[in-house]
Amino acid sequence: MRAVSANLFALLFLCALASVFYVWSALESRLERHKRGFSVPGGGSFYQGLPADLSAKTFRALLAVPAAQRPHLGGRLEARNLTDQTASAGNRDYHVNGDNKRSALREGPVKLGSPVEDGIFWSEWLEDLLPVGFTEDYAQAWRERARTYRIVQLEPGCGRISNQLATFADGTKACVRYGINADQVQGETLTYYLASLLGITNLPPLILSQLNSDSEQWTAVRTRIGGLQWSDRAVVSLTEWVSNLTGVVTPAPLRQESSGLHPVLGELRDKTTAELLELMQWTDLILFDYLTANFDRLVSNLFSLQWDSRVMERDTNNLLRTPRGDLVFIDNEAGLVHGFRVLNMWEKYHNTVLSSVCVFRKRTTQRVAELHRRRDARKRLLELYRDSEPLSLELGFLSDEHAGVLQDRIDRLYKHILHCKGKYSQL
């Protein structure tokens, strides 16, 4: 009888913690949206047949990366950062496209043919309509500038209080991530470079910086750093801050009442071109989050359905949209390092999300197939990371164990793509 009472008390205690966590997250989300002027679009729910267990270990893992990770990009920059500065370091040319015909095609109904080809791939004409988000040339130019510009102000505005919104001397801004521990900065950084390997351009450019006491870059904010109790010589990440972004709700084919996103032409032909382009980006996001085991986006919402049946009617964690409808993947601290460390606690949710999708960008799957065939994900990621980031040795890289986990997830993703191809290739 005592054992039963103890178990009941423990269950009630966990439920109370869950309620407190949910209420705090909701209040925090509203506060962040109020500060940034975010819109709050409507939406739906998510997947069927979810596990209903709420283990203590899994719940502690959720708390390990707090859900304060509300959009850290938002609000408005001064107009000088957005217009009439084509030669300025502060110019934000995200998805600027002078091709009016292409822009019109994005907004109109589907007229150019089937949205799917070769059974499971988005059609080439659709891929051609999707501009590159942050081009490599743009990202490289931003990284070079960000490494040399002085930071003149640090203020709240990038999620949890340990992170800060930095203003450079030229007026442009970046999110500085100090992280609860080095794993989070490392995860954010390596996730960015893995996206580059996969040809996914939805992540804002990123650099590392070290808080040296003699660093000219941080001199003007040294007092603020002391107040934040940031450790001297700590390595932090800076990601470009982008204005005019709004929240994103899970699209209908990925909600609970849907069986998932599959290459069923009757359903896809009812979508507008803009809707198809957004779904294409969602398929990249799902594959990407599976590879990195990032539980702080779709997976955390999936988990929260156990006590909040309407969680999918609100904005998705760490996902934003430009005025043109292009998605921006932000705040990837839970990816790779921390995500791999708690993988056993979240894997069933990762698998549920992945199994909901059977249509892909051909260019993304080609990168996955190459990494599977060559089995050199660790080598290629390390080379790109070290060649691109001067502070890579200071921050470190994946352990051998985690590098093995990454390759294993690439192999599993490749098998899932083959499974979908076998199932739908005759359509």
Side-chain angles (χ1 to χ4, degrees):
M1 189 65 183
R2 289 183 178 178
V4 173
S5 299
N7 289 336
L8 179 60
F9 178 78
L11 179 60
L12 291 173
F13 181 69
L14 283 175
C15 290
L17 282 178
S19 300
V20 171
F21 172 76
Y22 166 68
V23 170
W24 175 254
S25 296
L27 288 173
E28 184 178 45
S29 179
R30 289 188 179 187
L31 178 61
E32 290 297 326
R33 288 194 187 101
H34 175 72
K35 288 178 179 178
R36 298 172 177 80
F38 274 3
S39 63
V40 184
S45 53
F46 209 49
Y47 301 100
Q48 298 174 336
L50 299 179
D53 64 302
L54 181 59
S55 71
K57 287 184 178 180
T58 306
F59 188 65
R60 283 197 297 271
L62 182 62
L63 293 178
V65 178
Q69 325 359 67
R70 297 302 166 219
H72 67 279
L73 308 174
R76 290 182 179 273
L77 289 174
E78 296 84 346
R80 67 177 181 273
N81 290 333
L82 297 173
T83 58
D84 300 327
Q85 286 199 13
T86 55
S88 167
N91 183 50
R92 171 67 257 159
D93 59 357
Y94 183 81
H95 280 185
V96 170
N97 182 0
D99 188 341
N100 292 329
K101 182 178 180 181
R102 174 180 285 186
S103 299
L105 287 171
R106 285 167 56 90
E107 300 302 322
V110 176
K111 295 180 179 180
L112 298 182
S114 171
V116 177
E117 63 186 27
D118 297 334
I120 62 168
F121 300 116
W122 295 109
S123 293
E124 185 174 354
W125 67 266
L126 263 178
E127 290 216 28
D128 289 343
L129 286 177
L130 186 66
V132 176
F134 299 90
T135 68
E136 178 52 37
D137 287 344
Y138 177 86
Q140 183 175 348
W142 184 89
R143 293 196 299 264
E144 290 175 356
R145 293 193 302 267
R147 288 192 177 104
T148 60
Y149 281 4
R150 290 186 306 108
I151 294 171
V152 297
Q153 184 178 6
L154 290 175
E155 59 186 319
C158 291
R160 73 172 63 90
I161 195 170
S162 63
N163 300 329
Q164 294 283 290
L165 179 64
T167 301
F168 291 111
D170 72 333
T172 59
K173 299 175 185 287
C175 273
V176 184
R177 300 201 167 279
Y178 181 79
I180 293 175
N181 54 54
D183 283 0
Q184 293 175 321
V185 177
Q186 192 179 76
E188 175 95 9
T189 304
L190 295 179
T191 294
Y192 173 75
Y193 285 108
L194 180 62
S196 296
L197 279 185
L198 294 169
I200 294 175
T201 61
N202 300 76
L203 284 70
L206 173 150
I207 64 163
L208 296 177
S209 182
Q210 192 166 32
L211 304 175
N212 295 329
S213 58
D214 57 350
S215 171
E216 185 177 341
Q217 183 171 41
W218 298 94
T219 299
V221 291
R222 186 61 55 191
T223 301
R224 174 64 174 165
I225 290 174
L228 293 168
Q229 297 184 336
W230 285 359
S231 300
D232 189 40
R233 301 195 64 80
V235 176
V236 298
S237 66
L238 284 76
T239 54
E240 183 185 16
W241 188 92
V242 185
S243 67
N244 302 326
L245 302 181
T246 54
V248 184
V249 176
T250 306
L254 296 173
R255 296 177 193 164
Q256 184 176 1
E257 63 269 19
S258 173
S259 60
L261 182 56
H262 305 290
V264 180
L265 295 182
E267 298 176 3
L268 294 178
R269 280 179 174 148
D270 291 336
K271 306 291 183 185
T272 65
T273 301
E275 289 172 332
L276 291 173
L277 291 171
E278 180 170 327
L279 288 174
M280 183 190 301
Q281 295 172 84
W282 271 90
T283 60
D284 263 0
L285 175 65
I286 288 172
L287 268 59
F288 185 56
D289 278 358
Y290 178 80
L291 288 181
T292 62
N294 187 339
F295 58 84
D296 202 19
R297 200 155 17 226
L298 286 177
V299 166
S300 63
N301 283 351
L302 192 62
F303 175 81
S304 297
L305 281 173
Q306 295 172 93
W307 62 81
D308 179 9
S309 62
R310 302 186 56 143
V311 66
M312 290 299 162
E313 297 179 22
R314 290 179 281 279
D315 293 348
T316 302
N317 287 341
N318 307 323
L319 183 66
L320 298 173
R321 181 191 287 114
T322 71
R324 290 178 54 102
D326 305 309
L327 302 185
V328 184
F329 308 167
I330 65 168
D331 190 359
N332 298 287
E333 293 172 310
L336 292 177
V337 185
H338 191 70
F340 287 176
R341 182 165 290 128
V342 298
L343 185 58
N344 290 339
M345 305 173 188
W346 296 98
E347 185 68 324
K348 59 189 174 185
Y349 301 101
H350 290 303
N351 289 332
T352 297
V353 173
L354 179 62
S355 65
S356 70
V357 172
C358 253
V359 57
F360 316 100
R361 288 185 69 199
K362 183 176 290 186
R363 297 170 196 180
T364 304
T365 60
Q366 288 171 342
R367 302 287 184 99
V368 172
E370 183 180 6
L371 290 171
H372 164 76
R373 177 179 56 83
R374 295 174 56 171
R375 303 193 61 77
D376 62 349
R378 180 191 187 280
K379 178 176 180 292
R380 295 180 64 185
L381 180 59
L382 178 60
E383 288 177 351
L384 177 61
Y385 173 48
R386 287 186 173 174
D387 289 346
S388 306
E389 180 48 65
L391 289 173
S392 58
L393 292 178
E394 292 286 340
L395 185 63
F397 187 64
L398 295 176
S399 66
D400 290 343
E401 178 186 359
H402 286 170
V405 173
L406 174 59
Q407 186 64 56
D408 179 66
R409 295 185 81 72
I410 289 170
D411 297 341
R412 291 186 184 192
L413 176 55
Y414 178 74
K415 290 179 182 178
H416 174 68
I417 295 169
L418 289 183
H419 166 76
C420 291
K421 191 169 182 62
K423 184 175 182 180
Y424 293 103
S425 61
Q426 302 304 315
L427 293 180

